[in-house]
Amino acid sequence: MITDEQWRDLLEARATDPGRVRRAYLARRRRDRLLSDRGTLFLVAADHPARGALGVGADPLAMADRRSLLDRLLTALANPAVDGVLGTPDVIEELLLLDGLHDKVVIGSMNRGGLAGADWEIDDRFTAYDPAAIAACGLDGGKMLLRLVDSDPGTVPTLESCAAAVSALAERGLMAMVEPLPYERDAAGRLVLRKDAAALARAASVAAGLGVTSAHTWLKLPASPDEVLDATTLPALVLGGVPSARPEDDLASWGRSLRHPTVRGLVIGRALLYPPDGDVAGAVEAAAEVLRTAHTGVNA
């Protein structure tokens, strides 16, 4: 979708007209509410590169090609069922410069300091957007990752920082999207996501209690059984996570969680942007259809 002329213009703007970024933020047409007319929210996630997570499947550098990433994002955003995007400032600003975010929900990703594979990964510092910038740039909310590892003291400053961000976003009337994920280290010291219901429900409960108010808090959760989703009344979005080798299994998993009344939609990244068959538009439409099918009057 990105022409050679558009790409040259983007590179020229980056080098010679940095003020154009600010003008693009101010010129963006915002829609007047987060939810679609169906009462759902479908976002495409693109904040992985800023944490050094560039691999998809067998390709360790899949997300390193920025033109390819932006082209895939614009393909996804062209589907009217996609409400918006979640990303770090670099990605959001490039989409703005490509005129791709009018009338879309834009969520700024905040803490990307827990670099993938780093010794300090769990101490996930806030290194991207902050609440003041999200408000000043006219974005619709901020997203934060909260990985909980009981044996790692790096969890504590991340907890505290997330609580402060939830409070600051709520003060400005903006969505605080918290992604709580319970992890543990295996015998080799590698971080492994805990997928049992008890650990996921505990993580959701911790995230729901962050900050001085939960009025603007949303949760971003893995596809989960009902006992996890029953742990809170906060609106939830199902995350895509690491894509499996069988997209149909991912779709079925998302669909089961989407039937729960607290679940309002999807936040999917690599599984839609880098599908095994390369058909981004097809993968996005398949996810949109799962959301349409699962959505019922309970969520209206």
Side-chain angles (χ1 to χ4, degrees):
M1 293 183 67
I2 301 175
T3 67
D4 289 344
E5 182 180 359
Q6 287 175 312
W7 186 246
R8 286 193 297 269
D9 181 64
L10 173 60
L11 297 182
E12 184 69 11
R14 282 300 210 186
T16 66
D17 189 7
R20 187 169 155 189
V21 171
R22 180 61 181 165
R23 297 194 296 273
Y25 274 120
L26 295 176
R28 183 177 76 90
R29 294 192 307 272
R30 294 181 66 179
R31 73 185 212 180
D32 58 6
R33 60 176 181 161
L34 289 172
L35 295 174
S36 69
D37 292 340
R38 296 188 305 275
T40 58
L41 185 61
F42 182 6
L43 302 176
V44 179
D47 60 346
H48 309 79
R51 203 175 65 79
L54 300 172
V56 181
D59 185 353
L61 292 176
M63 299 190 79
D65 185 326
R66 184 50 62 97
R67 181 169 177 173
S68 174
L69 172 60
L70 293 171
D71 194 83
R72 291 163 187 267
L73 284 166
L74 290 172
T75 298
L77 288 163
N79 188 312
V82 174
D83 296 293
V85 66
L86 183 161
T88 47
D90 56 331
V91 174
I92 297 301
E93 289 162 6
E94 286 155 359
L95 291 172
L96 285 169
L97 292 172
L98 290 165
D99 209 29
L101 293 180
H102 290 301
D103 304 311
K104 295 293 186 180
V105 173
V106 182
I107 305 298
S109 187
M110 304 172 73
N111 60 327
R112 299 279 84 189
L115 302 185
D119 291 342
W120 68 85
E121 184 170 351
I122 296 305
D123 186 351
D124 207 342
R125 304 295 176 96
F126 280 60
T127 57
Y129 285 111
D130 59 29
I134 287 169
C137 292
L139 305 189
D140 302 291
K143 173 256 182 178
M144 61 209 79
L145 176 60
L146 176 60
R147 287 167 294 186
L148 302 170
V149 182
D150 288 356
S151 62
D152 192 324
T155 296
V156 180
T158 305
L159 265 172
E160 184 177 31
S161 297
C162 286
V166 167
S167 299
L169 288 166
E171 184 179 8
R172 293 165 171 82
L174 296 170
M175 172 204 272
M177 184 189 297
V178 186
E179 181 180 1
L181 296 175
Y183 276 84
E184 61 187 359
R185 294 194 183 273
D186 64 15
R190 293 183 295 262
L191 289 169
V192 179
L193 177 64
R194 295 185 58 186
K195 299 181 180 180
D196 59 287
L200 290 169
R202 177 177 182 255
S205 299
V206 169
L210 294 175
V212 299
T213 177
S214 62
H216 294 273
T217 303
W218 289 54
L219 300 181
K220 180 174 179 248
L221 299 171
S224 304
D226 283 356
E227 53 262 47
V228 175
L229 301 170
D230 287 343
T232 179
T233 62
L234 296 180
L237 298 170
V238 174
L239 63 89
V242 178
S244 72
R246 289 170 47 86
E248 60 271 30
D249 292 343
D250 293 332
L251 290 168
S253 176
W254 303 337
R256 286 190 293 271
S257 290
L258 283 167
R259 297 186 185 96
H260 193 279
T262 62
V263 178
R264 289 284 178 164
L266 297 167
V267 185
I268 313 296
R270 291 166 291 183
L272 299 187
L273 297 175
Y274 298 87
D277 64 1
D279 183 3
V280 176
V284 171
E285 180 55 33
E289 180 58 28
V290 167
L291 179 57
R292 283 191 289 266
T293 300
H295 179 63
T296 68
V298 174
N299 284 5

